[in-house]
Amino acid sequence: MTTTAALPRELRDFYENPSVPVASGTSRSLRQARMLAAALGPVGPRPCTVLDIGCGDGTAAATAAPLLAGHRLIGVDWSQDALRRARTRLRNAVRGELTGGGLPFGAAAADAVLFSEVVEHLVDPDAALDEIRRVLRPGGHLMLSTPNLAAWYNRGLLLAGVQPVFSEVSLRAIHGRPGSEVVGHLRLYTARALREFVAASGFTVVALRGAPFHGVPRALRPLDRLACARPSLASILLLHARKT
């Protein structure tokens, strides 16, 4: 998610294309939802407000919803096509941007933000985290997930002179790496880079965990699950931070 005004026309058209994938793996969604549910604890007299920013088609939020029962879950995206699909799965889904006009919420309006597979698509991730920090209450939770540039197989691919998985050099086709889907990744993070970036944006990092990638070939999935024990090697990085 980013402001459409800040994007070149080609990128705006790309992200509004219904054929571009807007959902990620169920395993990642469940792991992230469990982390958030544990952080929020039992539902109190006042339900927590959780924003799923960059909710896409709502699949991840719908997966998380049973674990967040009793809390108020709101999907947010700027793609009208994604929102149409999200509203078939979520009770609340609204249009919003992370830069430009900002999110349609007041300061300190949210107790937690789910930010799943979004930061790698952004032109200006610094402004995005500034806006997320604005809408979070003091001590509010940020649950961010993103592909790991230094995933175990990417280390081997680079040694072999092959473009890493998750990286893209074109919006039209895949060049020089395994895979067949173009998803519009603009930035990639290692575990260390992600920690430093989030901390520099005014958050305290609480935990960093790993999750498997649904696109790994079936024969390699046991290895991918094992790699989750060491987040720096995992396919997907799951970061929990709190607003400082």
Side-chain angles (χ1 to χ4, degrees):
M1 171 187 290
T2 186
T3 175
T4 53
L7 288 175
R9 181 181 180 85
E10 293 82 1
L11 271 179
R12 295 201 305 271
D13 292 344
F14 176 84
Y15 286 123
E16 287 286 5
N17 185 342
S19 68
V20 173
V22 290
S24 56
T26 300
S27 179
R28 190 275 305 157
S29 299
L30 281 173
R31 288 179 185 230
Q32 192 174 37
R34 290 185 186 115
M35 289 174 68
L36 179 55
L40 293 177
V43 179
R46 182 186 68 84
C48 291
T49 296
V50 179
L51 306 181
D52 183 3
I53 298 178
C55 66
D57 67 0
T59 300
T63 300
L67 296 173
L68 302 174
H71 298 303
R72 184 183 182 214
L73 183 58
I74 304 173
V76 186
D77 209 292
W78 67 258
S79 168
Q80 296 288 11
D81 178 75
L83 285 172
R84 279 192 292 272
R85 287 181 273 174
R87 286 171 181 143
T88 66
R89 298 180 173 93
L90 302 176
R91 181 176 298 177
N92 299 304
V94 300
R95 191 176 189 278
E97 301 182 10
L98 280 167
T99 53
L103 296 168
F105 305 99
D111 299 282
V113 165
L114 282 168
F115 199 44
S116 307
E117 318 298 302
V118 177
V119 71
E120 64 271 15
H121 297 271
L122 299 181
V123 173
D124 190 351
D126 302 280
L129 283 200
D130 287 346
E131 179 64 359
I132 287 173
R133 192 170 184 278
R134 182 189 70 81
V135 300
L136 276 174
R137 64 168 176 79
H141 302 276
L142 168 63
M143 295 289 175
L144 185 157
S145 69
T146 191
N148 182 10
L149 175 61
W152 61 276
Y153 40 80
N154 278 346
R155 299 181 186 214
L157 291 173
L158 276 172
L159 285 174
V162 178
Q163 187 82 8
V165 174
F166 308 124
S167 66
E168 295 181 332
V169 299
S170 170
L171 293 178
R172 298 177 181 175
I174 295 296
H175 300 291
R177 72 158 173 85
S180 59
E181 286 185 336
V182 178
V183 293
H185 290 173
L186 304 180
R187 300 179 184 276
L188 290 175
Y189 300 80
T190 63
R192 177 177 176 178
L194 186 64
R195 280 181 175 272
E196 292 182 3
F197 168 60
V198 172
S201 299
F203 294 86
T204 299
V205 176
V206 177
L208 183 66
R209 298 178 185 169
F213 174 46
H214 64 281
V216 168
R218 186 175 299 275
L220 297 177
R221 289 178 186 175
L223 285 176
D224 198 40
R225 289 192 293 270
L226 284 174
C228 293
R230 292 190 62 185
S232 62
L233 296 175
S235 286
I236 306 295
L237 300 171
L238 303 179
L239 182 138
H240 172 203
R242 301 193 74 170
K243 177 179 174 178
T244 304

